[in-house]
Amino acid sequence: MRRSVKTYLSAGMAPIVLLGLAACDGKPGNTWKEPAKGQAVAVLQTDADNKAQEVAYDGFGGTPEGVAYGPDGLVYGLGTSLVAITKDHKAKVVFDDQIEGMAGLVALPGGKFLTSADSQLIELGPGGRKAALAGVAGKNRKLRDPAPKTASASQYRFAASQPVPFATEPDGSIMIADYNVIWRLKDGHLTRIYQVPGRGPVKDWPAISPGGAVSGTHTVYVSPSTNGPSQVRGITAISADGSSRTIALPRHIDGVPGDPASLKVRWMSDDGADGIYVHAGNSSGSYVLHLATKKTELVARHSSKNESGSTCKPGKPVDAKNIPCEIPTSLAYSSGSLIMAGLTSAVLKISTK
């Protein structure tokens, strides 16, 4: 296993056509059922106890390097292989050896993907073709060296050994997380969108936590952290003009015990409009929250009181606010549904509309 580098961000694609999930799960007499609004369903099992599940695990099990919806309507997961979930709920390897050491995932038209490796942003194309879009192979800037406002993409040295792509915008711009900097890449040029302030010893400088999103209003959401997961109260919204603010939160959200602002952020994704979905948790459980301008609500929950080892069966919807199995780590959104994957025995789909 090559899980030596922890991923920073998941893909935050704009809304696209969702998986056409309408077939059976492959077991005789066992019919697939789509989740209604407020329900969750296991799309794949990743227990790796048979060949099909081993393929699923290679893309969606373990520590996720990225999960993304693609323009073709499929869901993609980057692990030890790049794996797609087909429309009949099976896992299919897209790339295997070609993605060694890569992190971050954004799916593009034409069977192309954005990821990163060896201090560079990489476009991975059909046949395993690789093209470096930004960064200098094996070369990094020191964190104390100032990040310029703009730079030539081919000559700039990222601070992170894996600068992680997490979204694209309608004009083709690519959003990249580089340790404590958010960059926009367009036409071979990098523009600095935001830098998390660093004070004191470099080892104590905050980095951008797992998960990141660009909303439909072009607001970038990040979650800076120092020595561990950040709290929901620390999620920062960066406007198109570069100004930033911490998001406002209510003191209480129905279904979430205690102060929701104190929950630890595990992943984030856009909601296709003006807000974000956040996977967060504490000792009481795991929660998926929808944070938007006019609405803050609980979308999904797994309570720590639930019996250990409970499973979610493929094609069998359950109440999203009482999910019996552990909620996976990463998430991606498209057209009224969330896909969650990583560090659990199932890939979950949650219907929000």
Side-chain angles (χ1 to χ4, degrees):
M1 296 291 287
R2 60 168 183 86
R3 300 272 70 91
S4 59
V5 180
K6 184 174 179 63
T7 184
Y8 290 158
L9 298 169
S10 65
M13 297 294 289
I16 44 83
V17 180
L18 184 63
L19 282 171
L21 302 178
C24 67
D25 66 7
K27 296 181 180 180
N30 201 352
T31 303
W32 176 274
K33 188 175 181 181
E34 275 288 283
K37 180 181 180 181
Q39 291 184 326
V41 69
V43 181
L44 289 177
Q45 291 294 124
T46 60
D47 293 332
D49 61 359
N50 60 52
K51 184 63 176 178
Q53 290 180 10
E54 286 179 6
V55 173
Y57 183 87
D58 287 346
F60 298 94
T63 302
E65 296 291 359
V67 175
Y69 278 102
D72 56 4
L74 302 184
V75 174
Y76 295 88
L78 180 66
T80 55
S81 300
L82 178 59
V83 175
I85 301 177
T86 65
K87 293 184 179 181
D88 57 354
H89 323 119
K90 296 179 181 178
K92 178 183 71 173
V93 174
V94 179
F95 297 118
D96 192 2
D97 296 338
Q98 301 95 330
I99 53 86
E100 179 66 27
M102 294 186 175
L105 183 66
V106 174
L108 302 175
K112 298 178 181 179
F113 302 87
L114 297 173
T115 183
S116 68
D118 193 24
S119 306
Q120 292 183 303
L121 178 72
I122 302 294
E123 182 183 87
L124 187 63
R129 177 184 56 80
K130 299 177 184 178
L133 303 184
V136 179
K139 302 292 184 179
N140 303 102
R141 70 174 175 87
K142 296 180 179 179
L143 278 180
R144 286 199 179 276
D145 294 341
K149 184 174 179 58
T150 62
S152 168
S154 63
Q155 300 177 30
Y156 186 69
R157 297 182 178 187
F158 291 110
S161 60
Q162 289 182 307
V164 183
F166 63 95
T168 59
E169 295 193 304
D171 68 353
S173 297
I174 301 167
M175 307 304 296
I176 307 164
D178 173 26
Y179 190 82
N180 65 341
V181 177
I182 296 294
W183 296 100
R184 176 182 285 115
L185 172 63
K186 175 69 173 175
D187 296 330
H189 292 277
L190 291 166
T191 301
R192 190 186 71 223
I193 302 303
Y194 179 73
Q195 183 166 9
V196 182
R199 301 180 180 88
V202 170
K203 67 181 181 64
D204 295 328
W205 284 19
I208 297 166
S209 296
V214 178
S215 76
T217 57
H218 304 287
T219 299
V220 178
Y221 293 88
V222 297
S223 179
S225 69
T226 302
N227 300 323
S230 63
Q231 294 182 324
V232 173
R233 63 166 52 93
I235 295 175
T236 301
I238 303 109
S239 300
D241 62 4
S243 61
S244 63
R245 60 180 172 81
T246 54
I247 62 171
L249 291 165
R251 293 181 179 272
H252 174 74
I253 298 175
D254 288 342
V256 180
D259 181 5
S262 67
L263 295 173
K264 301 292 187 179
V265 176
R266 294 171 179 167
W267 215 274
M268 299 192 302
S269 179
D270 71 283
D271 68 354
D274 66 346
I276 53 173
Y277 288 99
V278 180
H279 177 204
N282 57 19
S283 60
S284 68
S286 297
Y287 310 89
V288 177
L289 308 177
H290 184 207
L291 309 180
T293 302
K294 298 181 179 180
K295 179 167 56 177
T296 300
E297 63 179 348
L298 173 69
V299 174
R301 173 180 58 193
H302 169 75
S303 173
S304 297
K305 296 179 181 179
N306 284 3
E307 183 180 355
S308 177
S310 296
T311 61
C312 293
K313 298 180 180 179
K316 303 295 183 182
V318 297
D319 180 1
K321 294 182 180 179
N322 191 29
I323 297 176
C325 59
E326 187 177 355
I327 295 178
T329 300
S330 62
L331 75 163
Y333 171 84
S334 176
S335 302
S337 290
L338 289 162
I339 282 286
M340 302 190 70
L343 297 179
T344 66
S345 62
V347 177
L348 294 184
K349 175 187 175 184
I350 300 170
S351 179
T352 63
K353 292 183 179 179

